Amino acid sequence: MLASREIPIDRTTLEILFVVFSATLIRSAFGFGEALVAVPLLAIFIPLNVAAPLAVLVSITVAAIVVMQDWTKIHLRSAGWLIVSTLFGIPLGLLLLTSSHPRIVKAALGVIIMAFSVYSLIGRTPLELKRDSRGWLVVCGFCAGVLGGAYGMNGPPLVVYGAMRRWSAQHFRATLQGYFLPASLIGMTGYWLAGLWVPAVTHYYLISLPVTLLAIFLGRAINHRLHGDVFLKFIYLGLAVIGALLVFQSTVPRL
């Protein structure tokens, strides 16, 4: 009888693939939210200085493919204003990151996001913008820059604006990726200049690429089945979770 060969399974690799697949599915289906899953969970299995660039590379892939798939659904003017105003918010976010009261700021932002979400879910007249508002675009883009610079979480202010504009699920997904693509490219350039794009990042990115692509196309199928109020309820619930997470993070002492 021939002895069967045992093929060793790299458990870390399987865990990374599962995290990347889950985060990408969420991002592809709703347009945002992978920040809750990707880096925090990846950092459990691999060093943070590998997890963060890996997450950004995956983000670039998701955004690039979605933009190619649905570029006609991108609100280019909205995305442009959000990107430009974000650049002005990033320095303040970095300043908050190095300040003596980052937890207070994080908690306050979390409470504001949760309040908006709860009001939108239970209020009779959720806030609505009938047309693009340059003022709201600048405010939301600036706040996205602040959150991104301080906590690497640009999404919530962008989601707030899209929810107020009542974008469809397809426009929501495409427009946010039109924002995230240049933002992620800039972020990855920063990691490269800082010497953080190391071989391990490329290795994990390449082995996770098949599940990333699968999740992108599955997420698109889910997105195209979401409509109207049902989609908005998912958006508000997602924002509420993000707000709660920010408050939780601000109260838990660092180890």
Side-chain angles (χ1 to χ4, degrees), residues 37-50:
V37 178
V39 176
L41 293 184
L42 286 173
I44 297 174
F45 310 116
I46 53 179
L48 181 60
N49 60 355
V50 174

Side-chain angles (χ1 to χ4, degrees), residues 85-103:
S85 50
T86 287
L87 298 176
F88 292 94
I90 291 174
L92 178 57
L94 295 173
L95 183 63
L96 291 175
L97 183 63
T98 58
S99 72
S100 57
H101 304 292
R103 290 178 179 271

Side-chain angles (χ1 to χ4, degrees), residues 19-230:
V19 172
V20 170
F21 177 83
S22 302
T24 302
L25 185 63
I26 292 170
R27 167 79 169 270
S28 183
F30 301 104
F32 76 106
E34 86 288 353
L36 291 172
V37 178
V39 176
L41 293 184
L42 286 173
I44 297 174
F45 310 116
I46 53 179
L48 181 60
N49 60 355
V50 174
L54 172 61
V56 175
L57 271 181
V58 172
S59 174
I60 292 171
T61 305
V62 177
I65 292 176
V66 171
V67 167
M68 288 189 291
Q69 286 177 328
D70 300 314
W71 64 271
T72 58
K73 298 185 182 299
I74 299 175
H75 291 284
L76 291 174
R77 182 177 179 275
S78 301
W81 275 102
L82 290 169
I83 291 167
V84 171
S85 50
T86 287
L87 298 176
F88 292 94
I90 291 174
L92 178 57
L94 295 173
L95 183 63
L96 291 175
L97 183 63
T98 58
S99 72
S100 57
H101 304 292
R103 290 178 179 271
I104 296 175
V105 175
K106 181 181 282 191
L109 288 169
V111 169
I112 292 171
I113 292 170
M114 288 177 64
F116 172 83
S117 305
V118 172
Y119 173 79
S120 298
L121 282 169
I122 66 175
R124 293 183 179 178
T125 56
L127 295 174
E128 181 176 0
L129 296 174
K130 297 294 185 181
R131 59 183 62 86
D132 267 337
S133 166
R134 186 173 299 179
W136 274 107
L137 282 167
V138 170
V139 169
C140 290
F142 181 82
C143 290
V146 173
L147 271 176
Y151 312 114
M153 195 178 289
N154 301 62
L158 312 177
V159 176
V160 167
Y161 184 80
M164 290 193 298
R165 285 287 287 118
R166 300 297 191 270
W167 287 341
S168 69
Q170 293 73 45
H171 284 92
F172 207 104
R173 175 178 182 264
T175 302
L176 261 62
Q177 304 325 299
Y179 168 94
F180 283 126
L181 181 56
S184 297
L185 286 170
I186 292 171
M188 199 63 211
T189 301
Y191 284 131
W192 176 67
L193 292 173
L196 293 176
W197 191 343
V198 295
V201 174
T202 305
H203 168 73
Y204 285 121
Y205 171 73
L206 291 176
I207 62 175
S208 63
L209 192 55
V211 299
T212 298
L213 297 176
L214 175 62
I216 290 172
F217 286 95
L218 285 177
R220 187 172 190 259
I222 294 171
N223 177 267
H224 280 62
R225 285 165 173 74
L226 297 172
H227 302 283
D229 292 339
V230 173

